[in-house]
Amino acid sequence: MAHYLPILSSFILVFSFLPLLNKIRKNRSVSGLSLLMMSFGVAQSIYFITYNLYFSRFYMVLPFVVTGCLSGLILYYFARYNAKREERVQLAAMLGFSLLPFLLLLNPALEVATVLTWLTFVGLIMSSVRVMPQTYKTLRSGDISNLSARYFSLQFIAGVCGLFAELAMAAPSTSHILTFVMILLTNAAQLGCIQYYKLRPAMI
C-alpha cells in the first residue's frame, strides 16, 4: 500500500490542477490566486523531493514532483499573462529566498541526513502557511473567478492518500505526517471559503 497510494495521489493531483489551469488559460489571468501559495508549493516540493531521493523513498517522490511542476506552471502563466518585469524579479527573488536553507548543506560540520530532515520541517512550515495567503485573499476580495472547488477537494483527497501512504512506511517521517495533516486542514478551509462566496457572492 505504501507504494500504490503515492501513485494514486499523483494522479489525483494532476486532475486537481487541470480545472485550475484551464480557468487560467481561458481567462488569460491568474487574478484571485495567491502567488505565495504557488511559490511555497514549488519550494516545499523541492525540500521533500530531495529528502525522499536521499533516503531512497522513491514512490513518495511522485506526489511532490507533480505538485512542484504544476505549481511552477501556474507561476509561468503569471509571468506570461500578468507580470511586469519588476514582478518577475520579485517572484524569482521570493523563490530564491524560500530555498536559502539549502545552503546549510554546504556546512561540513553538519550531516547531510540531519540537514535534509530539518529541511523537511521547513517544508512543513511552508505547507502549513501556503494556503493561508490564498484564504486571506479570497476573504478580502471575494474573487473566486480563478478558484476551483475541484482543485481543493482533490488536493484534500490526495492529502488523505499521502497520509495513509506515509503511515504505511517502514519508518514514517514525522514531518511528512504533519505536512499531510496540514494539507487536509488548509484545503478544507479554502473549500469552505469558496462555498461561502458561491452561496453569498461578495458585494461589489
Side-chain angles (χ1 to χ4, degrees):
M1 186 171 68
H3 291 168
Y4 295 116
L5 282 176
I7 297 174
L8 175 61
S9 177
S10 299
F11 280 109
I12 294 172
L13 285 169
V14 170
F15 285 112
S16 75
F17 273 92
L18 286 179
L20 185 61
L21 289 169
N22 287 336
K23 280 190 175 185
I24 291 172
R25 293 181 63 187
K26 180 180 178 181
N27 297 334
R28 299 182 69 83
S29 170
V30 295
S31 67
L33 281 175
S34 166
L35 295 177
L36 183 61
M37 178 178 77
M38 295 304 165
S39 299
F40 275 7
V42 172
Q44 68 138 61
S45 295
I46 294 174
Y47 286 125
F48 284 108
I49 288 169
T50 306
Y51 175 91
N52 286 305
L53 286 176
Y54 183 83
F55 289 102
S56 301
R57 294 157 36 106
F58 299 117
Y59 284 96
M60 193 56 76
V61 169
L62 297 175
F64 295 105
V65 168
V66 172
T67 298
C69 289
L70 295 179
S71 295
L73 183 58
I74 291 175
L75 294 179
Y76 162 76
Y77 282 130
F78 166 73
R80 179 179 177 183
Y81 293 143
N82 297 100
K84 299 177 182 178
R85 183 179 181 279
E86 296 79 8
E87 291 173 319
R88 292 172 184 169
V89 172
Q90 290 173 359
L91 178 60
M94 185 164 56
L95 284 171
F97 181 77
S98 64
L99 295 174
L100 279 179
F102 270 114
L103 293 177
L104 289 171
L105 291 170
L106 300 177
N107 188 339
L110 300 174
E111 294 184 1
V112 173
T114 301
V115 172
L116 292 179
T117 300
W118 291 347
L119 292 183
T120 59
F121 283 95
V122 176
L124 166 63
I125 295 171
M126 291 184 175
S127 178
S128 301
V129 303
R130 65 186 291 258
V131 181
M132 292 179 186
Q134 179 66 68
T135 304
Y136 173 76
K137 190 170 187 177
T138 304
L139 289 171
R140 185 176 180 182
S141 67
D143 182 4
I144 59 172
S145 60
N146 274 327
L147 298 185
S148 168
R150 188 186 304 177
Y151 168 80
F152 291 104
S153 59
L154 289 177
Q155 288 270 321
F156 183 91
I157 296 171
V160 172
C161 292
L163 177 60
F164 280 105
E166 187 61 44
L167 291 173
M169 288 280 183
S173 163
T174 301
S175 59
H176 280 67
I177 292 173
L178 294 176
T179 294
F180 289 124
V181 169
M182 289 307 301
I183 287 173
L184 299 183
L185 295 176
T186 52
N187 281 284
Q190 185 61 41
L191 273 171
C193 289
I194 293 175
Q195 190 62 28
Y196 172 80
Y197 282 110
K198 280 185 176 180
L199 295 176
R200 184 181 175 182
M203 298 296 293
I204 299 178

